[in-house]
Amino acid sequence: MRTVHVHLQDRSYDIHIANGVLSEAGSILKKLGASQDLVVITNAKVGALHGNVLMKSLAKAGFASRTILVSDGERFKTLSTMQFIYKRLARYRVDRKTWLLALGGGVIGDMAGFAAATYLRGIPLVQIPTTLLSQIDSSIGGKTGVNLNEGKNLVGAFYQPAAVLIDPLLLRTLPLREFRSGIYEALKYGIIRDDALFRLIDRKHPHFPESEPRSLEGIIKRCVAIKAEVVSKDERESKLRMVLNFGHTYGHALEAVTNYRRFTHGEAIGHGMIMAAHLSHNLNWLGTKEALQIQQVVSRVSPLPSVSDLSPQKILHHLMSDKKAFGQKVRFVLPRRIGQVEIASDVSMKDVACALQSYLYLGPYAFAC
Ligand code: NAD
Ligand code: GLY
């Protein structure tokens, strides 16, 4: 078992990473001093695939657990699903000592996290992520929340879990498209922090998740370590943590204009990372060779859903309502080289629109403006 620690004073916690760790959930929670009664938040699909192993492990360690099943999918990451969760928590007579367990991908993790942050003004939470994307990203760092029609993740809270349990074996049941969605986020860590990781993922990902389990586990650990380090230094995103949003400014806008139905989150970030590389190249921040490498490696993961029919005006409108927008300026995380990014606070809307338009009209291979 590998443990990565998130250092946040009294909000510190361990991330346990190991094949098969789901079946040890009960004993880990016991050591953490979890309440006798637990509530598991999941959906029908994940519950059917992996709920049994968790429940057995909890029962073996003497816990009693109840389950809340929510609808599956990004379009249900809403305030109305939150209300459903709150009502169930009330019906279960949850008190401030009751622990919540989030078993699922990022959608479940974000909503269960928000419920834990807000119900009775805060109850303990353990994240048990079941998608690659949630194992390397969303379960760590305490960002929780839901979408509004007006934009993604506009309502939420920072709320750290008491622990995160990552079992890479759970990824074997993940549909390939969802697995690849996580690969885009893994490439993100390479581009922002570690060029060797970027190249390793490019070489290895076609073998995953069935073959080379050690390499997959190693890549997960490296991504988790990067995220834990960044969050430990800047929990509330005053500066450094913004680097984790590489690809997200364009990506979130793509998700919003397509009503969260066309792209997986990772696919939207895949497009967003190539667009950000274009923008960086147009601003002379990034050389042509590395911009092309980002474009090629990201495109190789899988064919990204088309963007050619999307309205640049609508995307720009969403960019301006992004959480990261300030007045008329949108903040971008842009690569200087593979392995290093910088935060650009004063990119003109003209440059942003220009990179966007050439990308939408000419596709990922456009580099001119
Ligand atoms: P998801 O939660 O929608 O899961 C994708 C699909 O896989 C779902 O249908 C789910 O039911 C299914 N699934 C989950 N685990 C499975 C398994 N082991 N086997 C088979 N099917 C399984 O999507 P996601 O990509 O995990 O998460 C995306 C969400 O995460 C977005 O809402 C995004 O905004 C959020 N996010 C949050 C943060 C953060 O820091 N909080 C970071 C990145 C992304
Ligand atoms: N995924 C961005 C963050 O956690 O900050």
Side-chain angles (χ1 to χ4, degrees):
M1 167 113 59
R2 165 85 193 271
T3 304
V4 176
H5 192 66
V6 180
H7 299 268
L8 290 170
Q9 295 93 34
D10 59 340
R11 297 175 312 292
S12 297
Y13 54 96
D14 284 333
I15 302 163
H16 305 272
I17 310 166
N19 287 327
V21 76
L22 185 65
S23 57
E24 292 171 44
S27 56
I28 294 173
L29 281 162
K30 205 163 187 178
K31 278 188 206 137
L32 284 169
S35 57
Q36 194 66 24
D37 290 313
L38 305 165
V39 175
V40 179
I41 302 186
T42 188
N43 66 37
K45 192 194 287 176
V46 178
L49 287 166
H50 302 295
N52 251 349
V53 174
L54 176 63
M55 297 309 169
K56 270 192 194 156
S57 171
L58 295 176
K60 198 171 155 203
F63 291 105
S65 56
R66 278 172 295 186
T67 302
I68 299 177
L69 288 181
V70 298
S71 300
D72 186 12
E74 183 74 33
R75 65 184 184 284
F76 296 104
K77 201 176 109 172
T78 57
L79 286 170
S80 75
T81 307
M82 288 309 304
Q83 190 169 17
F84 169 80
I85 294 173
Y86 294 139
K87 281 178 181 278
R88 282 297 150 104
L89 293 174
R91 191 190 291 174
Y92 290 164
R93 299 194 185 284
V94 158
D95 64 29
R96 279 206 177 129
K97 291 190 175 139
T98 309
W99 286 42
L100 285 194
L101 311 187
L103 177 72
V107 167
I108 296 282
D110 281 9
M111 286 195 293
F114 191 41
T118 48
Y119 194 73
L120 299 178
R121 300 197 178 91
I123 53 181
L125 166 76
V126 171
Q127 291 276 6
I128 310 179
T130 62
T131 61
L132 178 58
L133 188 142
S134 56
Q135 294 192 346
I136 61 173
D137 193 351
S138 60
S139 61
I140 305 154
K143 281 190 183 175
T144 71
V146 294
N147 306 323
L148 300 182
N149 288 338
E150 287 73 12
K152 197 163 158 71
N153 297 333
L154 285 183
V155 178
F158 283 99
Y159 192 72
Q160 301 297 338
V164 182
L165 311 187
I166 297 179
D167 186 344
L169 289 183
L170 306 187
L171 304 180
R172 294 190 172 186
T173 58
L174 200 58
L176 188 57
R177 185 174 177 200
E178 294 299 343
F179 187 81
R180 288 171 168 164
S181 180
I183 293 291
Y184 294 111
E185 288 274 11
L187 286 172
K188 174 192 81 178
Y189 288 108
I191 298 170
I192 65 173
R193 272 307 230 233
D194 183 344
D195 61 336
L197 176 67
F198 179 76
R199 286 171 225 295
L200 182 70
I201 297 166
D202 182 38
R203 278 202 312 281
K204 297 283 186 185
H205 76 75
H207 307 287
F208 298 154
E210 288 80 13
S211 316
E212 304 208 32
R214 289 234 166 138
S215 306
L216 175 58
E217 210 184 326
I219 286 170
I220 292 173
K221 283 174 187 164
R222 179 69 190 123
C223 295
V224 166
I226 295 174
K227 177 130 193 195
E229 184 214 326
V230 170
V231 168
S232 297
K233 288 183 179 153
D234 180 19
E235 180 186 16
R236 297 234 160 194
E237 202 170 294
S238 57
K239 185 149 191 221
L240 175 68
R241 187 168 176 169
M242 287 174 204
V243 301
L244 298 175
N245 296 327
F246 172 59
H248 285 56
T249 312
Y250 282 125
H252 280 174
L254 291 180
E255 285 185 273
V257 296
T258 52
N259 296 320
Y260 309 103
R261 282 165 198 262
R262 182 179 304 187
F263 308 100
T264 64
H265 179 66
E267 287 166 350
I269 302 314
H271 274 302
M273 291 191 295
I274 305 177
M275 288 194 225
H278 281 205
L279 177 59
S280 193
H281 180 259
N282 291 352
L283 297 172
N284 290 323
W285 278 36
L286 180 69
T288 307
K289 189 170 157 235
E290 294 207 281
L292 278 168
Q293 264 175 356
I294 292 176
Q295 171 190 293
Q296 284 160 355
V297 168
V298 172
S299 306
R300 262 205 286 275
V301 175
S302 63
L304 288 165
S306 171
V307 289
S308 60
D309 59 320
L310 300 180
S311 146
Q313 286 73 26
K314 283 191 185 159
I315 296 175
L316 286 171
H317 174 78
H318 272 280
L319 282 176
M320 296 311 297
S321 57
D322 191 273
K323 291 191 299 309
K324 295 168 281 300
F326 291 93
Q328 284 302 299
K329 301 259 185 210
V330 179
R331 238 180 351 217
F332 269 88
V333 179
L334 297 179
R336 282 285 191 185
R337 59 175 184 79
I338 296 169
Q340 189 198 331
V341 287
E342 256 178 56
I343 296 149
S345 312
D346 53 359
V347 185
S348 72
M349 277 322 279
K350 184 170 162 282
D351 286 326
V352 172
C354 183
L356 172 67
Q357 273 164 347
S358 63
Y359 189 85
L360 295 184
Y361 290 136
L362 302 170
Y365 296 96
F367 262 97
C369 215

